[in-house]
Amino acid sequence: MKQVAASVEEVATVLKLLGDKTRLTIMGLLNNQDCCVCELVEIFQMSQPAISQHLRKLKDAGLVKETRKAQWIFYSMNKEHEMHSLIKDILAHIPDQKEKLKELEEKGTKISCE
Amino acid sequence: MKQVAASVEEVATVLKLLGDKTRLTIMGLLNNQDCCVCELVEIFQMSQPAISQHLRKLKDAGLVKETRKAQWIFYSMNKEHEMHSLIKDILAHIPDQKEKLKELEEKGTKISCE
DNA sequence: TCATCATATAACAATATAATTATATAAGCA
DNA sequence: TGCTTATATAATTATATTGTTATATGATGA
């Protein structure tokens, strides 16, 4: 499939962001479903500020969007991002992240606002 | 097309390497044809050690191979790299780099060993 | 309203990255 | 052999990145 070429700079910016194991995995998770910060903290066993700072970078670049739902802020993939097809192509190369979400449910730490 | 999933770490490593404008462009160039160091120095208007160090990183990760031809060392894309299909997918999103190679020929700084 | 939970931000420290300059190595040629 | 060209490596410096701790903000609920 022929792609519409973005500038080298734009692509390099996205790759640099996804060139971090934590951020790449976050995108893999968001590719399955929206997550709130505390879920990600639980999954990555990382400090809350560390997760927040990774999310900030992704948000500043427009790769993710945030939505407040009650006391939680849910992050989701921005499907309107100019580089969304590149991101999907990349995520097709990493293992499915559903397992991690399943574990959350089993531990009972899954947040649900529906 | 369903991909064979590499580990998140492996993919992140490749993305980090390509998350640099210079290295991403080098890979775009090598996707068209092999290049020697002095050609890349000419194209990027960058110091020779800077180019060599970028090539070293790409080589250490196995993304490129080197072949000596007389006094020049030509770099080429390693098509046998485990992550070659990911790299091709990514390069499909950047503009074709043939222009830069054409300019070299016009300036007469193209190296040919055939 | 006050305490608590969820999240963001600021300040800082440790580490990584990328460029420069200087120097080493290796091939080609007079 | 000694000079030149092509490339690599080392040392250094400047800057960027990532994580930690401390603190601020904002929503919920008693």
Side-chain angles (χ1 to χ4, degrees):
Chain A
M1 175 183 46
K2 183 64 189 162
Q3 306 289 345
V4 178
S7 77
V8 174
E9 283 90 344
E10 288 169 315
V11 172
T13 300
V14 170
L15 299 183
K16 178 175 258 180
L17 277 165
L18 301 193
D20 172 277
K21 196 195 162 190
T22 304
R23 286 191 297 263
L24 181 58
T25 309
I26 288 175
M27 292 303 283
L29 286 160
L30 299 185
N31 198 27
N32 288 297
Q33 62 183 238
D34 300 359
C35 290
C36 71
V37 181
C38 60
E39 290 172 331
L40 298 174
V41 169
E42 180 73 23
I43 289 170
F44 290 98
Q45 292 290 304
M46 228 170 169
S47 74
Q48 174 266 315
I51 296 294
S52 273
Q53 284 161 27
H54 282 302
L55 289 169
R56 178 83 137 88
K57 289 186 189 189
L58 294 172
K59 200 189 70 178
D60 284 352
L63 267 56
V64 303
K65 293 184 296 187
E66 54 174 46
T67 320
R68 185 174 273 276
K69 286 184 185 175
Q71 65 265 50
W72 301 287
I73 295 178
F74 278 76
Y75 282 84
S76 58
M77 205 178 293
N78 178 12
K79 295 189 173 63
E80 273 76 46
H81 192 277
E82 196 202 345
M83 231 73 76
H84 184 62
S85 70
L86 166 63
I87 294 163
K88 290 292 268 188
D89 283 356
I90 291 170
L91 294 179
H93 289 266
I94 68 168
D96 187 70
Q97 299 297 312
K98 275 178 193 140
E99 265 311 300
K100 293 204 177 67
L101 294 164
K102 212 169 173 182
E103 281 172 39
L104 269 194
E105 273 184 70
E106 281 160 12
K107 280 201 279 183
T109 45
K110 182 93 192 54
I111 305 291
S112 180
C113 297
E114 314 314 321
Chain B
M1 175 183 48
K2 184 63 190 162
Q3 307 288 345
V4 177
S7 77
V8 174
E9 284 90 344
E10 288 169 314
V11 173
T13 300
V14 170
L15 299 184
K16 180 175 258 181
L17 276 165
L18 300 193
D20 172 277
K21 196 196 162 190
T22 304
R23 286 191 297 263
L24 181 57
T25 309
I26 288 175
M27 292 303 282
L29 286 161
L30 299 185
N31 198 28
N32 287 298
Q33 63 183 237
D34 300 358
C35 291
C36 71
V37 181
C38 60
E39 289 172 331
L40 298 173
V41 169
E42 180 73 23
I43 289 170
F44 290 98
Q45 293 289 305
M46 227 169 169
S47 75
Q48 174 266 313
I51 295 293
S52 272
Q53 284 161 28
H54 282 302
L55 289 169
R56 179 82 138 88
K57 290 188 186 186
L58 294 172
K59 198 188 71 179
D60 284 352
L63 267 56
V64 304
K65 293 183 296 188
E66 55 174 43
T67 320
R68 185 174 275 276
K69 286 185 186 175
Q71 66 264 51
W72 301 287
I73 295 178
F74 278 77
Y75 282 84
S76 58
M77 205 177 294
N78 178 11
K79 296 190 172 64
E80 275 75 48
H81 192 278
E82 195 200 345
M83 230 72 77
H84 184 64
S85 71
L86 166 62
I87 293 162
K88 291 291 270 187
D89 283 356
I90 291 169
L91 294 180
H93 288 267
I94 67 167
D96 187 71
Q97 300 296 313
K98 276 179 193 139
E99 265 311 300
K100 292 203 178 68
L101 294 164
K102 213 170 174 182
E103 282 172 40
L104 269 194
E105 274 185 69
E106 282 159 11
K107 280 202 278 182
T109 45
K110 184 93 191 54
I111 306 291
S112 179
C113 297
E114 314 314 321

